[in-house]
Amino acid sequence: ETLLVASHLAPSHVAAPYESAVVRVLVPFEENDVLDTGYSVSDIAVIVVRRLTDVGLNVVSVSTGPNADVEKFPDVTEVWTGDESTVSDAAGAFSELLGEVVAREGDYSVDGIDIVITLGSSFLNDLEREIAADLTAWPASTAGG
């Protein structure tokens, strides 16, 4: 929860402690969108951050609710990478963590961020799934390189 708050309020001050990708997460749901799940939007943000950090990813920025970056959540969770050659690998790796995903090379780029994840309604259908304990982290950060 501390990471969620810090990455929401002051993302530039959140360190990347792991030798893996640096991630920004967009949780563009409103409370009405998630009523059927039994969770709040904040709960969902905590769940996704835990899943990502449990495999050693550096979550340094989290945004909740619709905003200028994403006004409406997509049907399928989107994973944006900065490198076309990693799109296929990203789709496979992140589907293990987040359920159904679509990966794309990023029109969406943020300085210092390797991967931008926009949660979609597909993640809401994946909230209760057990995550394998032996997943490995996405490769080391290439942000700014």
Side-chain angles (χ1 to χ4, degrees), residues 12-102:
S12 63
H13 296 276
V14 177
Y18 307 115
E19 289 190 33
S20 62
V22 178
V23 180
R24 171 171 166 75
V25 180
L26 303 173
V27 185
F29 305 113
E30 295 184 66
E31 293 302 330
N32 288 341
D33 299 325
V34 300
L35 283 177
D36 293 342
T37 68
Y39 294 101
S40 70
V41 173
S42 295
D43 294 335
I44 291 168
V46 169
I47 291 167
V48 71
V49 168
R50 282 188 181 150
R51 286 188 185 185
L52 296 171
T53 57
D54 282 352
V55 297
L57 290 165
N58 297 294
V59 178
V60 299
S61 176
V62 177
S63 174
T64 57
N67 57 48
D69 291 327
V70 57
E71 294 177 11
K72 177 77 174 130
F73 61 89
D75 289 333
V76 177
T77 296
E78 298 175 353
V79 177
W80 294 83
T81 71
D83 180 1
E84 182 180 0
S85 67
T86 63
V87 168
S88 178
D89 291 340
F94 284 96
S95 67
E96 293 182 54
L97 286 173
L98 307 175
E100 183 181 3
V101 302
V102 60

